[in-house]
Amino acid sequence: MSTAILTGPPVAGSPLEADLRALGFDVRTANDATAAAELINAVPAQERVAVVDPRFVGHLHALRLALTDPRFPAAAVPGALTAQPAARAALTRAVGRIPVGAGTAHLTDVLTDTLTESLDRDETGLHRVELGSLVATVALTPAQREDAREAVAAVDDEAVRLRTAVKSRDGFFTTYCISPYSRYLARWCARRGLTPNQVTTASLLTALIAAGCAATGTRGGFIAAGFLLLFSFVLDCTDGQLARYSLQYSTMGAWLDATFDRAKEYAYYAGLALGAARGGDDVWALALGAMVLMTCRHVVDFSFNEANHDATANTSPTAALSGKLDSVGWTVWVRRMIVLPIGERWAMIAVLTALTTPRIVFYALLIGCALAACYTTAGRVLRSLTLPQLSLGGPPARRTDRAAQALADLADSGPLAELIARSARGRGRTGSFLAPVMAFLSAAVLLVWVIFENDPASWLTVGVAVCSALLVGAAVARPLKGALDWLVPPFFRAGEYVTILVLAARADVPGALPAAYGLVAAVAYHHYDTVYRIRGGTGAPPRWLVRATGGHEGRILVITVLAAALSPSGFTIALTALAVALALLVLIESIRFWVSSQAPAVHDEGEPA
């Protein structure tokens, strides 16, 4: 329920009251500031309340942006403001501070502006809407009203609404091949009462059907899979555009959109692997490798962004060069395409699925993603090393405590690493390169052994896993505030995922690699869930969950013990059981959190990759 209070001199013939009702508001009027204060206080504290000047002239979409966007506790345009329950107390205080009597006309003539300034001073999270070409003003005279109406007539707010439904920063394929028509599909959905979550679910179901078509292993199935995957991506773009078009943002919607993107892509990889197997070609190792590479690449993105979350503007030479390249139109698109964002990636997968074989699809995907990962990681390493306050020749790097905690949470270290870290704490210097070096060695020692050892399913491998865990503990013994400490989580992810891949491949029995695929998918979901929680400002999953899953070093140790103690077929069964147990554990806790009141605020733009 929402209430709009019109306070100020009435204007005959104004469509404002009808516009407010069209936006879902119960409209009430107040003759003066005292009456407005009484009406505001009479609205239940759990309801949204808007204060609008009757002399407001502007586009309906300007009112919609100011009064109905659920992402902000308070929002305003000239002549209109709204306060959700989180900001109602601040609005009540603001109304109570308005003096009455002689000499106060300048405060009450345009009451909305006075209240807006007061809310801004209270630091309530007031959002001042960027209007762009839209019009929103308080017309105090007939001449001003006529001028404002002419300005409103000169701009088509529906065209603005459609244009702004599209993300401002997107890939080339999405911008030029999807968004020109998906925005109209979003409007079609809005006019029929469909919600973004329904469109998101439809996108997931379409991708799962595409995966099923690919799993048939027939040329017709591959062609249908390619078309359906592209249509799934169209729907994936449409759900966000629908949310922006109709301002139907929600915490659940943001989580579903981010989670389903990964579920769709990785389910499709599995469908391709099943389809190839029907044709006699085993590409499960390639499918798992593609999932590992994509997940590690995302972890690089997440870790770097969290490490620099509180940083001031980057003035390094690398950042300056990047800024210059962004000033040239064609280089912007080249740089966006070279990282193989989701639009370009899915288009490549769909076309190659329809025209070639799953093996070729995975070869192209692995090569393209590897090049993109090298490009982005190298650039971020250069930025980190050339940032003045974090340079090799300067003083030790100092990340904020929040950034260090985020990196520690992304590291996903378990009780074994905690125990080792406590004994190693204080033996190194925070801000040095010790942490990334130890993290790299922890992964490298283990991977070199399992890749090149003739029989990695042995108790010697368990010993190497213990040595790797010691290095993990050394890496996380101090706060991760160094220039390159954001590399610690990606090194840990690569070490864990690739170890599972290699041990399953070396088991050389049917079902081992599919079981490993399921296990890595479950663990990767846990890691993505950690990222989304941190981004929402609520911190990582509860510590009991990390301990229950063993942390990455604990899971590696368990898997190496299973490989050494069991036969290859028994190892496959154990991997399957472990995958199911971890999936249930992390999914139940994740769903519990995201449907609870603790869930963080939504983040609209999402990840281009």
Side-chain angles (χ1 to χ4, degrees):
M1 187 67 180
S2 301
T3 301
I5 298 169
L6 291 173
T7 176
V11 177
S14 171
L16 180 60
E17 191 169 336
D19 287 344
L20 290 171
R21 287 198 173 94
L23 294 177
F25 284 91
D26 176 26
V27 181
R28 303 179 187 179
T29 59
N31 295 325
D32 52 36
T34 301
E38 291 175 353
L39 286 176
I40 291 171
N41 292 329
V43 176
Q46 69 274 16
E47 294 183 10
R48 176 197 292 268
V49 63
V51 181
V52 185
D53 194 301
R55 296 163 294 181
F56 174 89
V57 179
H59 287 101
L60 177 61
H61 192 51
L63 274 179
R64 183 182 290 109
L65 290 170
L67 304 184
T68 67
D69 195 326
R71 294 174 297 173
F72 310 104
V77 294
L81 70 92
T82 185
Q84 294 202 70
R88 285 292 308 279
L91 179 62
T92 301
R93 289 194 300 271
V95 170
R97 286 196 292 262
I98 296 177
V100 295
T104 63
H106 66 289
L107 296 175
T108 57
D109 280 351
V110 185
L111 182 63
T112 52
D113 289 353
T114 301
L115 293 176
T116 297
E117 294 300 326
S118 183
L119 288 177
D120 211 359
R121 288 193 300 270
D122 268 2
E123 298 183 355
T124 58
L126 176 74
H127 172 66
R128 292 182 182 268
V129 178
E130 294 184 9
L131 292 171
S133 58
L134 295 175
V135 176
T137 187
V138 176
L140 302 178
T141 67
Q144 290 177 349
R145 175 169 293 275
E146 186 61 30
D147 290 343
R149 285 174 173 169
E150 291 179 1
V152 169
V155 176
D156 184 353
D157 72 336
E158 178 61 18
V160 172
R161 190 180 178 190
L162 273 174
R163 186 178 69 250
T164 55
V166 178
K167 282 199 296 189
S168 58
R169 178 183 174 85
D170 228 328
F172 181 89
F173 179 78
T174 304
T175 300
Y176 291 104
C177 299
I178 303 296
S179 293
Y181 58 88
S182 62
R183 69 184 74 183
Y184 295 101
L185 179 58
R187 182 171 67 181
W188 183 89
C189 293
R191 290 177 175 177
R192 282 152 184 81
L194 297 177
T195 67
N197 289 356
Q198 290 171 334
V199 178
T200 301
T201 303
S203 176
L204 174 67
L205 294 175
T206 304
L208 293 178
I209 294 172
C213 291
T216 63
T218 63
R219 178 50 51 195
F222 288 146
I223 293 172
F227 278 109
L228 287 170
L229 185 65
L230 282 178
F231 183 59
S232 174
F233 182 65
V234 171
L235 293 176
D236 185 51
C237 295
T238 301
D239 63 1
Q241 291 165 359
L242 173 59
R244 287 182 285 274
Y245 180 84
S246 57
L247 301 182
Q248 295 184 73
Y249 301 108
S250 69
T251 298
M252 177 64 72
W255 173 65
L256 288 177
D257 187 48
T259 303
F260 284 3
D261 277 352
R262 301 287 77 80
K264 288 180 286 190
E265 188 165 3
Y266 297 160
Y268 191 81
Y269 294 173
L272 284 174
L274 288 170
R278 286 180 177 272
D281 189 12
D282 186 354
V283 297
W284 274 106
L286 296 177
L288 181 50
M291 181 167 66
V292 167
L293 181 56
M294 279 305 308
T295 306
C296 289
R297 179 184 158 195
H298 282 138
V299 172
V300 169
D301 296 342
F302 299 146
S303 296
F304 180 81
N305 291 334
E306 289 304 323
N308 294 281
H309 181 274
D310 301 316
T312 55
N314 192 329
T315 57
S316 70
T318 307
L321 175 60
S322 178
K324 289 180 181 179
L325 290 175
D326 279 342
S327 66
V328 182
W330 67 271
T331 63
V332 173
W333 293 117
V334 170
R335 296 177 71 213
R336 289 188 190 178
M337 292 172 69
I338 201 173
V339 300
L340 206 63
I342 189 170
E344 279 75 358
R345 190 168 69 249
W346 283 28
M348 180 186 75
I349 294 171
V351 171
L352 291 178
T353 298
L355 300 179
T356 64
T357 65
R359 181 172 289 273
I360 293 176
V361 173
F362 285 123
Y363 281 154
L365 187 61
L366 286 166
I367 293 170
C369 288
L371 291 175
C374 289
Y375 169 77
T376 55
T377 304
R380 285 165 178 171
V381 168
L382 286 174
R383 282 178 181 240
S384 298
L385 292 178
T386 57
L387 188 62
Q389 67 267 30
L390 299 175
S391 64
L392 286 168
R398 287 293 182 267
R399 304 287 184 192
T400 63
D401 290 338
R402 180 207 177 279
Q405 184 57 53
L407 291 179
D409 292 333
L410 290 173
D412 191 36
S413 300
L416 180 58
E418 285 181 343
L419 181 63
I420 298 168
R422 278 197 290 269
S423 63
R425 196 158 288 150
R427 299 185 183 180
R429 182 165 58 87
T430 299
S432 69
F433 294 98
L434 180 63
V437 169
M438 291 294 102
F440 171 77
L441 289 176
S442 72
V445 166
L446 185 61
L447 294 182
V448 168
W449 177 267
V450 297
I451 291 172
F452 295 104
E453 170 62 22
N454 290 331
D455 181 20
S458 67
W459 292 104
L460 284 175
T461 303
V462 176
V464 174
V466 171
C467 294
S468 175
L470 292 172
L471 294 169
V472 168
V476 298
R478 288 154 296 281
L480 299 176
K481 295 186 176 183
L484 295 179
D485 283 1
W486 56 270
L487 286 171
V488 170
F491 284 145
F492 288 165
R493 297 295 80 76
E496 179 182 4
Y497 297 161
V498 179
T499 297
I500 297 172
L501 190 163
V502 173
L503 288 176
R506 298 289 294 274
D508 197 25
V509 294
L513 280 168
Y517 191 93
L519 177 58
V520 172
V523 175
Y525 176 85
H526 168 58
H527 292 144
Y528 280 114
D529 186 53
T530 300
V531 169
Y532 303 142
R533 295 197 197 204
I534 292 173
R535 282 186 164 184
T538 59
R543 194 62 199 163
W544 70 260
L545 179 65
V546 177
R547 292 186 175 123
T549 61
H552 70 96
E553 81 289 348
R555 289 189 294 270
I556 289 173
L557 191 57
V558 168
I559 290 165
T560 56
V561 168
L562 292 174
L566 301 174
S567 66
S569 58
F571 179 58
T572 299
I573 295 172
L575 283 181
T576 304
L578 189 58
V580 171
L582 281 175
L584 288 175
L585 183 62
V586 299
L587 276 172
I588 290 172
E589 162 54 23
S590 177
I591 293 171
R592 181 210 63 79
F593 170 77
W594 286 99
V595 300
S596 72
S597 59
Q598 305 169 1
V602 297
H603 293 268
D604 178 34
E605 291 302 305
E607 285 300 311

